[in-house]
C-alpha cells in the first residue's frame, strides 16, 4: 500500500513525540549541558531532514559530513537512525519488517533496522546517498539498493586499507573532490571552496575541544560516566563541520574542567576503570548502569570517541579530510588497532577492557581475538568479549548479561588483590 | 584430458597439494597474470574442507566459513608448499584473514591487495596503484622483475584459458549439454589450480574430444546456480542427482572466472588488468544494477527454469543482496530457491528435500 503524505506527517509526529519522551526520560545521572545540546541538535537535524524543502544526503558512518555541510545540505547518518529508533523503541518492528523481507538474522542489526525502516517508509527521503568501503561490506551494498529504491544517485568512497602506501591519501582526496562536485551537480547546490574551508575550521575547533576532553577524562576519578560519553559518537559522526558541534564540544570541556576543579566524580569511590570498545546497547542503559552505578566500575573511556588525527589544513580540504579518514585505527593491519587500544589503556589507567561484540558485526568482531592476543604480548590487562546487541533487544536478557559481567568483575577484583 | 581425469580422481581421494612454484590467492579479483609474470603458478585457495578449529583462535565463529576453513589450512600446514599467498580486500572477512595468516603462520610472504568495489575511472586508477604496490612487494619478496612483456604474455595465456572455458560453457546452452554441471565446475576449479599452459592444452584436447559428440544426460529443469563461494561441487552434484541440470552459474568457480577478457593490445598491461578485474560483476561490487543486468542476461541466454541462490552463513555480501535479487528474479518470472548453509560440504543432507521439492515444481 503506498504511503501518503498524511501518513508521513503522522510518522513524523509520532517520531517527534517519542523523541521528546526520550529526552525527558528519567535518567540515572544528570546530563551535562553539552549532552543536552547534543541531543537537541540531533533531534533538530532529524526533524529538518523530514521537511520537503530540505536537501538530505544519506551518509554512512565515515563519509565526512563536512562535504555535505559545504553544500548547505543535511547529512543524515543513516545507521544512527537505527540507534535512535532503538532508543524510542520502534526498532523491533523495523527489524521484523526486514526479516519478513528476507534479510538474515545473522547480519548487522543497524543496517537491517534501516532496511526495515525504509520498507515501512518512515525515513526522511534522500536526495543522494554516499557510502564508504569501511567499516563494512553491508554498508555500500544496502546504500546501492536504497539508491535504486529511492531512484537517487549513490556515490561510493573507496578508502584504501593500506594506509601507509603513498598513493592512498591522494586517491582518497581525489575521490572526495569528485563526490563533492557530483553531489553539487545532482542536488543543484553550488560548491564553494571557501565555504568548505570555513567548515573545516569548525571541525578543527571542535576536534581541539574533543582532544582536550580526552585529556580531561584521564583524570582519576573519572569526571564523566561512560554511559553518557559514548552517546557523543552519533553526533560526532553526523555533525563534523557544524557550529553545533563546536558549541557542544566546548561546553563538554568547560563542564569537565569544572567538575574536576570541584572534585566531582562520576562515581563515588571508583573501584575499576574500564575501556569500552564498540558502540552500546541503545534500547536501555542497564548494562552501563549496572557497571558504573551499582558496581562502581566506571567506563573511563570509549574507543569510539578517540580522535586520532591532527588539525586539518583549510586550504587543502580534500587532502586533509583524506588524512582524517585514514587515521582511523580500524583501517590497516590489526596491529594498528592494538596499538591504539594499548595507548588508551595507559592514558586512562584502565583496569579492564570490555570489547562489545554484536552478533552481526563482522568488521568489529573479527578484530577481537587479534587485538586481545596482540595486547597480551604487551600488557597484562583483562579483556572481555561481551556478546551483546546494539539495537535488537529481542534476545536481551538482563540476568545473563549481569552474570557474565560479574564474572569479569571478579577477575578484576582478584587481580587488584 | 588424461591429466584432467587423473586430477579429478586424485582430488576425490584427497591428495596433498602437489603444485610447484605455487602462489596462492583467494579471490577471483586477484589478477593471476601478475603471479605468472613473477614466474610463479597461480593456485586458487578454495578452502581446506576442514572444520575450523585452529582458525577459531584467530577469528570468530560467526564468520565467513570459506575464510575460516582456508585459514585452517594455512594453520595446519596444508598450504605450506605454496611460496606465498595473496589476500585481497574483497570483504571484511578477508581483510582479517590477512592478519591471521600473517600472525599465525611462519610463511613470510603474505601479500595484500586492495580491491575497490566500483569500476569507474577513479576506482580503476586506485586499483592500478594497488596492483603496482603488490607487484613491488612480490618483486622484493621473490627477487624477480615483473616486466611488461611478461605481463603481456601472461595476459595472452590467461585469455586463452578464459576463451576455452567460455567455449565449453556455451555448449551448455544446448538442450542436452555434453557434460554435467559438476564436471564443468571441476574443470574451472582445475583451471584455477594448475599451470595455465597445461590447462590450455587439456581444455583444447577436451574440446576436440567433444567435437561432434551428441549431448547426453537428462533434459530435466535447467538451473542457474549463484551465491557464495563453493570450493567443491557437492551442491551441484545434489541438484543433478535429483534430476535437474546446472547449466550456468554466477560463481567465482564458474562463469565469473572467465566473464570477460583482458585487453591484449593495451600499451599499459596494468591498466588493462585493472579494468578487467574490476569489471567482474561479483556481488561485492556496489553497482547492483549492472550486476542484475548481467544475471538476467545469463538466465535468458541459458534459458534457465529456476535459480538456486546459495549463501554461506555469515557471508554478508550475499545475505544483504539476496532479497533484492530474489525480488527481481521473481518479477522477471524466474522461481528462486534460497539455501543457506554452514559450509558447502557437510550440511547438504538437510537441504535435499527442499531442492527436490523445487525441482519437482519446475519439472
Ligand atoms: S555495526 Fe558493524 S556491521 Fe553494522 S554498520 Fe556498523 S560496522 Fe557495519
Ligand atoms: S564472497 Fe563471501 S564466501 Fe566468497 S570469499 Fe567473499 S566473503 Fe567469502
Amino acid at each position: 500500500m503506498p504511503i501518503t503524505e498524511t501518513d508521513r506527517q503522522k510518522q513524523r509526529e509520532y517520531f517527534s513525540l517519542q523523541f521528546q519522551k526520550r529526552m525527558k526520560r528519567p535518567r540515572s545521572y544528570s546530563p551535562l549541558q553539552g549532552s543536552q545540546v547534543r541531543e537537541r541538535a540531533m533531534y533538530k537535524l532529524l526533524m529538518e531532514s523530514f521537511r520537503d524543502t530540505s536537501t538530505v544526503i544519506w551518509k554512512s558512518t565515515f563519509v565526512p559530513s563536512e562535504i555535505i555541510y559545504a553544500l548547505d545540505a543535511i547529512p543524515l547518518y543513516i545507521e544512527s537512525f537505527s540507534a535512535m529508533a532503538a532508543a524510542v523503541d520502534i526498532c523491533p518492528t523495523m527489524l521484523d519488517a526486514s526479516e519478513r523481507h528476507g534479510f538474515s538474522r545473522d547480519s548487522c542489526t543497524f543496517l537491517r533496522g534501516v532496511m526495515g525502516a525504509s520498507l515501512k517508509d518512515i525515513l526522511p527521503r534522500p536526495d543522494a546517498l554516499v557510502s564508504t568501503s569501511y567499516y563494512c561490506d553491508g554498508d555500500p551494498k544496502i546504500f546501492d539498493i536504497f539508491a535504486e529504491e529511492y531512484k537517487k544517485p549513490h556515490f561510493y568512497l573507496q578508502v584504501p586499507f593500506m594506509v601507509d602506501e603513498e598513493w592512498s591519501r591522494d586517491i582518497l582526496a581525489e575521490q572526495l573532490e569528485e563526490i563533492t562536485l557530483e553531489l553539487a551537480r545532482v542536488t543543484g547546490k553550488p560548491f564553494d571552496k571557501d565555504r568548505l574551508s570555513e567548515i573545516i575550521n569548525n571541525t578543527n575547533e571542535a576536534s581541539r575541544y574533543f582532544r582536550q576532553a580526552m585529556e580531561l577524562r584521564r583524570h582519576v576519578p573519572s569526571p564523566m560516566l561512560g554511559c553518557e560519553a559514548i552517546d557523543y559518537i552519533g553526533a560526532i559522526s553526523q555533525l563534523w563541520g557544524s557550529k553545533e558541534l563546536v558549541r557542544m564540544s566546548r561546553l563538554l570541556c568547560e563542564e569537565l574542567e569544572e567538575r574536576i576543579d570541584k572534585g566531582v566524580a562520576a562515581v563515588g569511590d571508583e573501584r575499576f576503570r574500564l575501556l569500552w570498545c564498540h558502540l552500546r546497547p541503545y534500547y536501555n542503559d542497564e548494562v552501563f548502569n549496572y557497571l558504573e552505578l551499582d558496581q562502581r566500575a566506571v567506563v573511563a573511556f570509549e574507543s569510539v570517541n578517540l580522535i586520532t588525527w591532527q588539525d586539518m589544513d583549510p586550504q587543502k580540504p580534500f587532502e586533509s579530510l583524506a588524512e582524517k579518514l585514514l587515521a582511523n585505527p580500524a583501517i590497516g593491519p590489526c596491529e594498528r588497532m592494538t596499538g591504539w587500544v594499548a595507548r588508551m589503556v595507559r592514558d586512562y589507567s584502565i583496569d579492564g577492557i570490555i570489547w562489545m561484540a554484536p552478533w552481526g558485526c563482522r568488521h568489529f568482531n573479527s578484530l577481537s581475538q587479534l587485538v586481545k592476543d596482540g595486547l597480551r604480548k604487551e600488557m597484562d590487562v583483562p579483556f572481555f568479549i561481551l556478546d551483546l546487541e546494539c539495537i535488537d533487544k529481542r534476545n536481551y536478557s538482563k540476568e545473563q548479561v549481569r552474570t557474565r559481567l560479574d564474572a569479569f568483575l571478579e577477575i578484576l577484583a582478584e587481580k587488584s588483590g | 584430458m588424461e591429466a584432467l581425469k587423473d586430477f579429478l580422481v586424485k582430488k576425490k581421494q584427497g591428495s596433498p597439494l602437489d603444485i610447484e612454484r605455487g602462489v596462492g590467492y583467494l579471490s577471483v579479483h586477484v589478477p593471476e597474470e601478475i603471479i605468472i609474470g613473477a614466474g610463479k603458478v597461480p593456485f586458487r585457495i578454495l578452502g581446506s574442507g576442514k572444520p575450523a578449529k585452529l582458525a577459531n583462535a584467530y577469528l570468530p565463529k560467526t564468520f565467513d566459513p570459506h575464510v575460516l576453513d582456508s585459514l585452517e589450512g594455512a594453520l595446519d600446514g596444508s598450504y605450506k608448499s605454496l611460496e606465498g599467498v595473496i589476500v585481497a580486500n574483497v570483504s571484511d572477512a578477508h581483510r582479517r584473514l590477512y592478519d591471521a595468516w600473517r600472525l599465525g603462520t611462519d610463511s613470510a610472504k603474505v601479500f595484500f591487495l586492495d580491491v575497490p568495489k566500483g569500476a569507474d575511472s577513479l576506482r580503476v586508477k586506485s586499483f592500478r596503484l594497488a596492483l603496482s604496490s603488490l607487484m613491488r612487494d612480490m618483486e622484493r619478496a621473490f627477487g624477480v622483475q615483473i616486466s611488461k612483456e611478461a605481463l603481456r604474455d601472461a595476459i595472452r595465456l590467461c585469455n586463452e584459458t578464459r576463451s576455452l572455458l567460455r567455449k565449453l560453457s556455451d555448449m551448455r546452452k544446448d538442450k542436452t549439454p555434453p557434460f554435467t554441471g559438476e564436471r564443468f565446475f571441476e574443470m574451472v576449479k582445475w583451471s584455477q589450480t594448475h599451470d595455465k599452459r597445461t590447462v590450455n592444452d587439456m581444455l583444447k584436447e577436451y574440446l576436440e574430444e567433444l567435437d561432434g559428440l551428441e549431448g547426453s544426460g537428462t533434459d530435466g529443469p535447467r538451473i542457474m546456480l549463484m551465491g557464495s563461494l563453493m570450493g567443491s561441487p557437492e551442491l551441484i552434484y545434489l541438484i543433478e542427482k535429483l534430476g535437474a541440470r546446472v547449466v550456468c552459474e554466477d560463481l567465482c568457480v564458474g562463469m565469473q572466472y572467465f566473464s570477460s577478457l583482458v585487453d591484449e593490445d593495451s600499451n599499459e598491461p596494468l591498466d588493462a588488468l585493472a579494468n578487467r578485474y574490476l569489471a567482474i560483476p561479483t556481488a561485492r561490487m556496489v553497482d547492483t544494477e549492472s550486476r542484475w543486468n548481467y544475471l538476467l542476461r545469463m538466465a535468458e541466454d541459458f534459458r534457465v527454469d529456476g535459480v538456486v541462490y546459495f549463501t554461506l552463513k555469515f557471508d554478508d555480501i550475499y545475505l544483504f543482496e539476496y532479497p533484492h535479487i530474489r525480488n527481481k528474479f521473481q518479477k522477471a518470472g524466474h522461481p528462486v530457491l534460497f539455501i543457506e548453509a554452514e559450509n558447502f560440504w557437510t550440511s547438504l543432507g538437510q537441504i535435499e528435500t527442499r531442492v527436490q521439492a523445487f525441482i519437482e515444481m519446475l519439472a
Side-chain angles (χ1 to χ4, degrees), chain B residues 26 64 66-67 90-91 93-94 228-229 252 312 315 317-318:
Chain B
L26 288 104
D64 179 353
H66 161 56
V67 159
V90 287
S91 76
H94 284 244
S228 294
L229 181 139
C252 50
L312 286 170
D315 187 350
I317 290 169
Y318 290 98

Side-chain angles (χ1 to χ4, degrees), chain A residues 101 106 135 137 140-141 144 148 156 158 161-162 165 167 174-175 178 330 332 334-335 362 366 369, chain B residues 57 62 92 95-96 99 102 112 114 116-117 122-123 125 133 136 283 286 288 313 316 326 328:
Chain A
H101 190 68
D106 290 325
Y135 286 151
D137 295 329
K141 193 86 216 167
D144 209 56
E148 199 179 315
Y156 137 84
Q158 166 71 30
F161 183 74
M162 286 318 212
E165 292 292 345
W167 49 268
E174 266 187 76
Q175 292 180 65
E178 184 191 50
C334 61
E335 288 88 341
R362 239 60 74 196
S366 62
Q369 205 54 45
Chain B
T62 52
D92 298 338
R95 274 201 292 285
R96 294 307 161 200
D99 289 324
R102 263 185 317 117
F112 188 83
D114 249 319
K117 288 172 191 268
L122 267 185
R123 262 46 65 164
K125 178 174 171 190
S133 296
R136 173 206 61 205
V286 283
T288 323
K313 215 167 158 58
D316 287 338
R326 174 207 56 201
K328 284 179 171 284

Side-chain angles (χ1 to χ4, degrees), chain A residues 61 79 108-111 135-136 139 278-279 360-364:
Chain A
T61 317
E79 294 96 315
C108 166
T109 43
F110 280 98
L111 299 179
Y135 286 151
C136 56
D139 205 89
H278 203 282
L279 298 162
C361 183
R362 239 60 74 196
H363 131 76
F364 203 68

Side-chain angles (χ1 to χ4, degrees), chain A residues 296-310:
Chain A
R296 290 179 284 116
V298 72
V299 172
F301 201 67
E302 316 75 30
S303 65
V304 289
N305 280 330
L306 196 59
I307 306 282
T308 53
W309 62 92
Q310 303 306 313

Side-chain angles (χ1 to χ4, degrees), chain A residues 100-223:
Chain A
R100 273 199 306 278
H101 190 68
F103 287 105
S104 159
R105 279 189 87 145
D106 290 325
S107 53
C108 166
T109 43
F110 280 98
L111 299 179
R112 261 191 300 131
V114 194
M115 263 292 173
S118 151
L119 290 165
K120 294 171 87 60
D121 197 19
I122 57 171
L123 294 169
R125 300 225 170 104
D127 292 287
L129 304 91
V130 192
S131 67
T132 50
S133 58
Y134 82 107
Y135 286 151
C136 56
D137 295 329
D139 205 89
K141 193 86 216 167
I142 71 157
F143 267 67
D144 209 56
I145 294 173
F146 284 141
E148 199 179 315
E149 262 149 35
Y150 291 97
K151 299 194 174 35
K152 295 293 174 191
H154 168 212
F155 305 100
Y156 137 84
L157 187 63
Q158 166 71 30
V159 183
F161 183 74
M162 286 318 212
V163 284
D164 294 331
E165 292 292 345
E166 273 169 27
W167 49 268
S168 289
R169 186 199 71 167
D170 296 340
I171 197 80
L172 195 47
E174 266 187 76
Q175 292 180 65
L176 281 165
E177 183 161 7
E178 184 191 50
I179 290 176
T180 309
L181 297 177
E182 278 300 300
L183 285 175
R185 190 180 60 78
V186 300
T187 57
K189 297 260 182 182
F191 169 65
D192 172 2
K193 204 166 170 192
D194 293 339
R195 174 82 183 117
L196 181 57
S197 304
E198 250 174 60
I199 281 165
I200 296 282
N201 274 329
N202 289 345
T203 296
N204 279 343
E205 210 182 331
S207 35
R208 263 175 245 139
Y209 283 123
F210 278 122
R211 267 183 231 118
Q212 197 187 333
M214 274 169 60
E215 281 299 313
L216 292 165
R217 291 187 64 199
R218 288 185 184 203
H219 190 267
V220 182
S222 180

